[in-house]
Amino acid sequence: MFNYYENVIWKIDGALFACALALSAFIIIYSALKDILWRRRNQRLAELKKSFQHLAEAGKNSIKNGCISLTSRVRPEEFLSITHDINSIIPRKFESQLRQCFISYNKLSDIERLAEKSGNKWKRIQAIIILGYAKSESALNILKASLFNKDEDISYFSLLALGEMKDESSARVLFDFLQKRIYSGYKIISLLESFPASVAEVAIEYTKSDDPFVRFWALRLLSKLNLRGSLNTIIELTKDSVPNVRAAACDCLAGIGGQEAAAGLRQCLYDDFWFVRMHAVRGMGKALGKDSVREVSALIQDGNWLVRDAVKKVFKDNIEESLTVIEKIFSGNDDNAKSDCAEVLEFSGYIDTLLKELLSKEPHTRTLALLKGVVGARAHLGLEWSIKKFSSQERAHIISDIARIDPLLSEHIDKKIKDIIKEP
Amino acid sequence: MIKFLLPVFIYLLFLVSFAYFFVMTFYFLLLSAISFFEEKRRVMELDAEDFTTLYSSSFTLPVSVIIPAHNEEEWITDAVKAALNLKYPEFEVIVVDDGSTDNTLKQLDSLLKLKPFDMPFAEYLRCGRIREIFKSQAYPNVTVINKDGGCKKAGAVNAALNISRFKYVCVTDADTIIEPDALIKVMAHVQKDPENIIGVGAYFGLVNGLKIKDGKIIKWSFSHKPTVASQNIEYMRSLIVMRTAWSKFNVMPIIAGGFGIWRRDIFLELGGYSPEYSSEDLEFTFRVHDYFLEKNDKKYKVLMLPYIASWTEGPSNIVSLIRQRNRWQRVTNETVWHYKHMIFNLRYGAFAFFLLPYFLFYEVFGVFIEVAAIAFLVWGITVQVVDMRVLLAFFSFMVLTNTISSLLAIFIFTKDQKVFSMKDITYFIVLSFLEFFWYRWIITIAKIMGTFSWLRGIKTYDQYVRAER
């Protein structure tokens, strides 16, 4: 009654079946061929790498003579694999010679042409990366232009290639590009971080940029470079109008260290923004070491837990110097600060020392005060763990001391250690 | 009357289901074409990426790796070791023992040398009661949370999110082996634009059959059990073809639990994973899209990268498979129902017009269309209103469109990735032709059961029985 067009469907089925068979055959042939090509390519790459290694082993003069003939055999895509793996192929001391050889070899102009005009995007990207490695003078302009290409891949790999150039000019291009906010500061600064130390001078220039984003990232980079000569510029930036910049300046000063840096950090300890305070505390810890304890101790009562966390870290790293401050906090009224200090004693491993001292004939009054503080802060898990390490006689002694402070807790710990109760 | 209406009804149903298959095949072909180029692009990007700088830089974004575990004594040691083998500058591992009743915690203790840890714990995200927090004495970057069960995987991940320290978190499973370079490959993308990249998923295959020692894959011998191999094909179809293509238009519907990177602040902003659903990952990804599209933020990105990031255990028998897919169907229905306001809503753009119709017509109703079409054609034959040749032609059409979809997925995946041997690939090809005769119907049964369970309001997180290793 109705036309189901079964003949048409059968015809479609026939076509689909033929397609399925053809596709199956194609996948098998393609995979087999790809396997063979893959193996050949790897073999050739291994041979090339070996030849470069031999050349490097033969010494300076051999590199000069043998390099060009070897380079002429390398195709761009192979060159890319070699440059990616360069540090495992040849010793670093020969790297610049090898690079010079690539530059002097006239194939570089072909690569430059590819990097500028190739219609095949990925061939173009390969050429761009090679240009970055070759570090030729003409490369900079090509890479600078391709950095602003509409295609995000071409732009991104030009960025990486500029990162590979590692000289002052490329650093400036990267800093300028930072202002465009096309790629994150993390990405660009991670590239600049691998530049030689002279990049610091460029970074200092950019700390004076009108753009707070650039100032911030220039400072972040400087914080990894430990640059004493720029101290005053950085201290000035602790007064910047942008809190992010002030925080980054604190990081920088932390790396520089010493009393002069601490003077800059001190003015950020009570900043209105919590993360500036946090960076200032961390910075103090790094810059002054044990001397920072007193400077930051008041911030254990800060309203922000990350600032308190930073203070705890300073206490933990300088536990001996912190004990007096901790004792004072235990005798105060701030429960949060008390619990933080108990945590510091636990994480620093000082609880073990405390308990050992408790077993001595005449324990120090501070020992008892600290134990009282830990028990009072209800931070007993670390205590249990440490008590477990002692003999049963010593445990009894310690638990009786705790019983004098908090009988219920001591009973609980005792039962738990004896496995009478288990915390669910 | 019935004598007149029945042939009309069957004929209409035939036309609808034929059109349905035709549109779905076209949709899949379109996605295949997009993913073909997208996959190529991503693989080329990977080849050219400068990983040396990323490995050595102190500006590479640190990541918290979260491993939730519930009765995972078989896998937990290898899963944690695999996470510890990650090649990445800075990361922490947070393992959550979610009310296990087996030896999961003991295994963790013997590997990590756990020490109880008094840590202030703020429940920013709902996670259930925390029993204890431990720090590893053997690996300073590992924390273990022991908590009550009952809030499903969502609660376990939320517990870890509450204490995680880093801006990005990698959520994985306790039966999953992460590839050592998984984080660096994925984070290389995130590093480009951490302000806008909210979440990233990557490919994960089935670990079944592979030989693992100390968290490392030592022998690549994929299981040739038809149930497992068919799931492998399905994963290629779903993860490589569909999600990679959807990702191109920023309509990635799910960052799956096997491996996914999320920005932690998004979890905090949106309230974390929800234990109210049968499973958490699909609903959360929908919530993220809903949140950003609702406030007209067009810059956010949820990506799918076709890189192999991890290997996870899949059901190795039919009962387990049905149980797993039943849950997947329930969560699909729950999510589509909850976010029904987005369907064909102009405000939600491509998500509403390109992705959600697929979910609605294929994932939710598709199974009923397929079953009804076949059932009524068979009935039509028995009452002699349809010719047998029609049924065969239609059935062949269904088989062949399914086969071609699978073959395309196999091709797109294997053309650039060297994971499967020639033997594996040939086996997958053969299975692609046979899949419709058995596997598809197992999934269909599971989907129907899932839909009925959803209608009955069942939301349990059933863990299937682990295969012996």
Side-chain angles (χ1 to χ4, degrees):
Chain A
M1 186 160 60
F2 291 104
N3 187 354
Y4 281 87
Y5 299 101
E6 65 252 46
N7 290 334
V8 178
I9 301 175
W10 277 119
K11 274 183 190 158
I12 296 173
D13 287 348
L16 286 175
F17 188 62
C19 278
L21 283 182
L23 191 55
S24 306
F26 177 73
I27 296 171
I28 292 171
I29 295 165
Y30 181 89
S31 305
L33 276 176
K34 190 187 69 186
D35 261 7
I36 296 166
L37 290 174
W38 218 319
R39 237 174 284 146
R40 273 198 201 158
R41 180 176 171 264
N42 287 343
Q43 212 173 339
R44 193 176 140 76
L45 268 175
E47 278 168 19
L48 279 171
K49 284 176 185 178
K50 210 181 263 180
S51 306
F52 276 111
Q53 265 164 349
H54 282 315
L55 205 62
E57 278 162 19
K60 224 173 177 178
N61 288 333
S62 305
I63 293 179
K64 212 172 187 179
N65 302 327
C67 184
I68 291 191
S69 69
L70 188 54
T71 314
S72 62
R73 284 161 44 200
V74 184
R75 290 192 286 261
E77 63 272 20
E78 292 167 343
F79 195 97
L80 188 66
S81 299
I82 291 168
T83 53
H84 267 179
D85 213 10
I86 197 77
N87 293 332
S88 63
I89 298 170
I90 55 161
R92 200 169 270 277
K93 59 178 178 179
F94 294 124
E95 207 185 315
S96 63
Q97 269 177 286
L98 192 70
R99 182 174 290 121
Q100 208 50 46
C101 158
F102 284 131
I103 295 171
S104 55
Y105 180 59
N106 57 14
K107 215 172 191 171
L108 197 67
S109 56
D110 293 342
I111 293 174
E112 284 180 348
R113 211 170 307 126
L114 275 177
E116 276 182 303
K117 288 173 190 153
S118 175
N120 181 325
K121 176 174 141 178
W122 293 105
K123 278 230 153 61
R124 188 171 175 189
I125 286 173
Q126 277 177 347
I128 283 171
I129 294 171
I130 295 168
L131 280 188
Y133 177 76
K135 302 182 184 183
S136 69
E137 279 173 28
S138 48
L140 186 74
N141 287 331
I142 298 170
L143 294 179
K144 205 172 161 181
S146 57
L147 195 58
F148 292 94
N149 196 290
K150 276 182 194 160
D151 185 297
E152 72 176 274
D153 289 321
I154 292 176
S155 168
Y156 177 69
F157 286 103
S158 304
L159 184 82
L160 296 193
L162 280 161
E164 195 53 53
M165 292 187 81
K166 299 189 199 314
D167 58 16
E168 204 185 303
S169 319
S170 58
R172 282 180 199 285
V173 175
L174 290 174
F175 268 115
D176 289 335
F177 191 62
L178 199 55
Q179 294 180 37
K180 307 283 174 204
R181 289 169 172 75
I182 294 172
Y183 291 106
S184 76
Y186 286 103
K187 182 76 237 176
I188 295 174
I189 296 300
S190 69
L191 295 173
L192 285 163
E193 193 188 6
S194 63
F195 275 48
S198 57
V199 74
E201 285 166 34
V202 182
I204 287 174
E205 273 178 44
Y206 280 87
T207 57
K208 289 162 192 145
S209 162
D210 291 336
D211 186 344
F213 185 72
V214 176
R215 293 204 297 278
F216 169 76
W217 283 107
L219 278 166
R220 291 289 310 266
L221 177 63
L222 283 171
S223 70
K224 304 290 169 193
L225 301 173
N226 187 8
L227 204 74
R228 196 159 265 283
S230 55
L231 188 70
N232 289 336
T233 315
I234 297 165
I235 289 180
E236 203 49 45
L237 286 160
T238 57
K239 296 172 199 150
D240 197 281
S241 58
V242 179
N244 266 338
V245 177
R246 296 201 294 278
C250 289
D251 278 353
C252 257
L253 291 172
I256 293 170
Q259 286 296 344
E260 288 156 309
L265 287 163
R266 210 165 280 132
Q267 55 200 12
C268 292
L269 279 177
Y270 296 94
D271 197 281
D272 290 341
F273 287 83
W274 66 265
F275 55 91
V276 180
R277 297 198 297 278
M278 179 185 78
H279 282 273
V281 171
R282 284 180 187 169
M284 270 297 187
K286 279 189 197 160
L288 291 182
K290 58 184 183 182
D291 294 336
S292 63
V293 173
R294 288 207 168 274
E295 302 258 10
V296 303
S297 61
L299 287 155
I300 195 76
Q301 292 173 319
D302 196 280
N304 187 287
W305 72 271
L306 285 166
V307 179
R308 293 201 302 275
D309 234 27
V311 178
K312 270 152 59 180
K313 170 102 178 36
V314 173
F315 283 3
K316 185 183 146 256
D317 293 346
N318 306 286
I319 188 68
E320 288 292 341
E321 290 73 21
S322 306
L323 293 176
T324 321
V325 178
I326 291 175
E327 199 184 336
K328 206 172 154 191
I329 292 166
F330 277 148
S331 62
N333 297 322
D334 187 335
D335 287 340
N336 284 337
K338 283 183 195 176
S339 140
D340 283 339
C341 288
E343 225 176 86
V344 168
L345 292 175
E346 187 191 330
F347 299 161
S348 61
Y350 195 78
I351 287 202
D352 290 354
T353 319
L354 200 74
L355 295 181
K356 272 180 205 155
E357 219 174 292
L358 207 62
L359 293 170
S360 65
K361 281 180 188 161
E362 280 180 47
H364 197 282
T365 43
R366 181 199 276 168
T367 308
L368 293 169
L370 290 175
L371 182 69
K372 201 175 166 186
V374 173
V375 172
R378 314 293 300 172
H380 62 279
L381 288 177
L383 208 54
E384 283 164 20
W385 176 267
S386 294
I387 294 170
K388 275 184 191 169
K389 293 179 196 163
F390 293 89
S391 68
S392 54
Q393 211 179 345
E394 287 168 332
R395 278 184 208 169
H397 184 147
I398 295 166
I399 287 172
S400 70
D401 280 342
I402 296 173
R404 260 179 262 145
I405 304 164
D406 186 338
L408 278 177
L409 182 68
S410 80
E411 196 186 333
H412 175 79
I413 293 176
D414 192 33
K415 281 183 181 168
K416 217 177 146 192
I417 289 173
K418 287 173 183 161
D419 261 353
I420 298 170
I421 52 162
K422 276 187 179 115
E423 270 188 340
Chain B
M1 187 70 172
I2 290 175
K3 215 172 173 185
F4 171 74
L5 281 180
L6 184 66
V8 176
F9 178 70
I10 292 177
Y11 186 67
L12 284 176
L13 192 67
F14 167 79
L15 289 181
V16 168
S17 45
F18 190 79
Y20 163 81
F21 267 97
F22 203 81
V23 170
M24 280 304 158
T25 308
F26 178 76
Y27 188 79
F28 191 84
L29 286 177
L30 180 71
L31 292 186
S32 301
I34 296 163
S35 69
F36 177 87
F37 292 107
E38 192 63 5
E39 212 257 351
K40 177 93 192 153
R41 175 188 170 205
R42 296 301 186 193
V43 171
M44 296 300 273
E45 277 179 355
L46 202 61
D47 277 352
E49 182 58 68
D50 176 11
F51 288 111
T52 317
T53 306
L54 278 168
Y55 279 128
S56 60
S57 173
S58 50
F59 291 101
T60 301
L61 291 158
V63 178
S64 302
V65 180
I66 295 174
I67 309 176
H70 174 75
N71 290 344
E72 294 283 6
E73 60 182 6
E74 282 283 318
W75 279 97
I76 194 68
T77 308
D78 277 318
V80 174
K81 279 183 179 173
L84 292 168
N85 287 338
L86 279 167
K87 289 189 214 152
Y88 198 71
E90 192 181 2
F91 66 98
E92 64 172 349
V93 179
I94 305 172
V95 188
V96 185
D97 178 25
D98 187 30
S100 296
T101 49
D102 65 355
N103 287 323
T104 302
L105 195 60
K106 269 192 188 155
Q107 299 269 7
L108 285 169
D109 189 26
S110 80
L111 171 70
L112 302 167
K113 311 280 172 275
L114 299 176
K115 182 187 169 185
F117 183 69
D118 282 313
M119 185 182 195
F121 185 88
E123 196 175 343
Y124 303 113
L125 305 172
R126 186 182 150 197
C127 63
R129 197 175 75 90
I130 302 295
R131 296 173 186 170
E132 220 162 2
I133 299 176
F134 302 92
K135 272 272 175 198
S136 164
Q137 296 199 95
Y139 304 93
N141 60 337
V142 182
T143 308
V144 173
I145 300 175
N146 178 18
K147 68 177 279 292
D148 282 353
C151 286
K152 302 179 194 164
K153 184 182 165 186
V157 176
N158 286 350
L161 284 165
N162 283 327
I163 63 157
S164 61
R165 290 190 297 139
F166 299 130
K167 181 173 177 171
Y168 279 90
V169 292
C170 170
V171 181
T172 177
D173 279 330
D175 58 353
T176 299
I177 303 297
I178 305 190
E179 285 277 323
D181 55 359
L183 273 191
I184 199 91
K185 283 194 287 196
V186 174
M187 289 305 288
H189 273 273
V190 175
Q191 188 96 353
K192 288 182 196 174
D193 190 10
E195 291 311 309
N196 295 313
I197 299 180
I198 306 300
V200 190
Y203 177 81
F204 54 92
L206 292 181
V207 77
N208 304 44
L210 304 185
K211 297 278 174 295
I212 293 152
K213 199 181 169 199
D214 291 335
K216 288 178 191 152
I217 296 165
I218 51 167
K219 196 177 170 200
W220 293 89
S221 48
F222 290 97
S223 170
H224 280 193
K225 256 179 123 173
T227 331
V228 177
S230 296
Q231 287 175 73
N232 259 323
I233 299 174
E234 211 182 2
Y235 275 38
M236 285 184 240
R237 236 177 6 225
S238 167
L239 295 163
I240 293 295
V241 176
M242 312 202 77
R243 293 187 202 171
T244 308
W246 283 327
S247 166
K248 172 93 183 149
F249 302 99
N250 201 26
V251 292
M252 247 282 281
I254 175 170
I255 290 190
F259 182 91
I261 301 240
W262 285 103
R263 225 171 64 192
R264 181 175 175 263
D265 60 315
I266 298 301
F267 276 113
L268 297 180
E269 177 82 26
L270 300 181
Y273 281 142
S274 169
E276 303 301 327
Y277 291 80
S278 297
S279 193
E280 68 302 315
D281 41 11
L282 181 72
E283 188 277 333
F284 185 73
T285 319
F286 267 61
R287 205 179 337 149
V288 168
H289 285 290
D290 189 18
Y291 173 76
F292 283 100
L293 293 171
E294 217 269 321
K295 60 177 190 169
N296 207 18
D297 181 340
K298 296 272 158 63
K299 281 185 175 172
Y300 84 100
K301 287 178 204 159
V302 179
L303 300 176
M304 170 71 194
L305 299 174
Y307 308 151
I308 298 163
S310 60
W311 300 94
T312 191
E313 201 202 11
S316 56
N317 60 55
I318 292 172
V319 176
S320 298
L321 180 66
I322 290 179
R323 195 173 290 176
Q324 184 197 49
R325 297 311 163 93
N326 176 325
R327 178 166 58 83
W328 288 9
Q329 186 62 38
R330 268 187 279 139
V331 73
T332 304
N333 292 4
E334 287 161 11
T335 307
V336 172
W337 178 250
H338 185 84
Y339 293 94
K340 56 186 178 297
H341 63 274
M342 295 166 82
I343 302 172
F344 297 124
N345 183 337
L346 279 175
R347 176 182 278 273
Y348 296 96
F351 201 84
F353 290 91
F354 187 54
L355 181 98
L356 277 172
Y358 166 83
F359 263 76
L360 187 68
F361 294 117
Y362 182 79
E363 296 290 357
V364 178
F365 292 123
V367 63
F368 294 101
I369 298 173
E370 287 171 27
V371 172
I374 300 252
F376 278 97
L377 282 174
V378 171
W379 190 28
I381 291 166
T382 57
V383 294
Q384 293 177 335
V385 292
V386 180
D387 186 357
M388 182 70 176
R389 270 172 54 86
V390 174
L391 177 70
L392 282 178
F394 184 66
F395 192 75
S396 305
F397 179 73
M398 286 164 85
V399 172
L400 288 164
T401 48
N402 187 73
T403 305
I404 287 180
S405 309
S406 299
L407 289 174
L408 279 172
I410 294 168
F411 174 62
I412 292 169
F413 183 66
T414 55
K415 76 182 164 57
D416 294 311
Q417 316 254 17
K418 179 121 187 59
V419 184
F420 297 117
S421 65
M422 271 304 292
K423 197 175 147 193
D424 295 327
I425 294 172
T426 314
Y427 184 57
F428 289 150
I429 290 173
V430 173
L431 272 184
S432 302
F433 282 89
L434 304 174
E435 207 185 346
F436 200 89
F437 296 98
W438 66 285
Y439 185 77
R440 178 75 170 235
W441 300 105
I442 295 171
I443 301 301
T444 302
I445 291 166
K447 282 185 163 192
I448 293 171
M449 286 169 70
T451 305
F452 284 114
S453 303
W454 168 65
L455 289 170
R456 286 164 56 206
I458 295 171
K459 290 184 176 181
T460 49
Y461 191 105
D462 312 309
Q463 196 172 25
Y464 51 85
V465 181
R466 298 284 180 220
E468 276 192 28
R469 294 176 65 199

